[in-house]
Amino acid sequence: MGKFVINRTKDGGFKFNLVAGNGEIIATSEVYTQKPKCKVGIASVQKNSKAEIENQTEGKYVELSRPKYQVYKDKKGEFRFRLIATNGRIIATGESYKSLSGCINCIKSIASNAPDAKIVDESLIRKTAGKK
């Protein structure tokens, strides 16, 4: 079972990662200025996680309505995705993948992990470097 992990950013914002049951980060959010907005982002990912895939790597593709996953190639020619909410905002992104199938498998993992994923708030945990 997956989990959403909320953390603070260096600039004081909030960000979440969706972590699969095997411990791998499968999606990341934008930086939010407030924790309640970060939690709204999590709820949006949960709600929209089973959206259809718009594969923009094909020559001609059918533009889907939102919500949707957009799969595209980055500057290095690797495959990436972004989850677009009904309002058109990007609510989650993923790392780059060498193959389209790897990218699609990650999207499938989000669809199975996100709806029931628990929320773990690590934003209050102080991380101190070098202390034992």
Side-chain angles (χ1 to χ4, degrees):
M1 171 162 282
K3 63 183 175 183
F4 288 96
V5 180
I6 299 173
N7 282 297
R8 294 229 32 153
T9 62
K10 290 180 182 179
D11 63 357
F14 297 89
K15 188 174 188 169
F16 67 79
N17 289 317
L18 175 56
V19 181
N22 63 3
E24 293 290 319
I25 295 173
I26 54 177
T28 301
S29 74
E30 65 178 332
V31 176
Y32 296 91
T33 56
Q34 301 171 357
K35 191 186 300 183
K37 290 182 179 182
C38 186
K39 289 182 176 181
V40 168
I42 290 171
S44 185
V45 171
Q46 289 175 315
K47 176 183 173 186
N48 297 299
S49 64
K50 296 188 185 285
E52 291 187 69
I53 299 171
E54 179 181 278
N55 184 355
Q56 297 181 347
T57 66
E58 298 172 343
K60 289 187 176 184
Y61 61 90
V62 176
E63 189 169 329
L64 301 175
S65 60
R66 301 179 299 242
K68 64 183 170 184
Y69 289 94
Q70 287 180 330
V71 175
Y72 63 99
K73 283 190 177 180
D74 63 17
K75 292 178 183 176
K76 292 182 179 179
E78 295 184 344
F79 297 90
R80 290 184 171 269
F81 72 86
R82 52 188 160 234
L83 178 54
I84 312 288
T86 306
N87 64 5
R89 293 198 55 145
I90 298 171
I91 52 175
T93 59
E95 65 181 41
S96 63
Y97 295 87
K98 300 243 184 245
S99 69
L100 177 59
S101 63
C103 189
I104 299 296
N105 285 338
C106 183
I107 291 170
K108 289 178 181 177
S109 182
I110 293 167
S112 67
N113 280 283
D116 300 319
K118 65 181 179 177
I119 299 172
V120 178
D121 187 351
E122 294 184 355
S123 66
L124 300 175
I125 299 173
R126 283 220 153 150
K127 295 183 180 176
T128 53
K131 293 209 173 188
K132 294 183 181 182

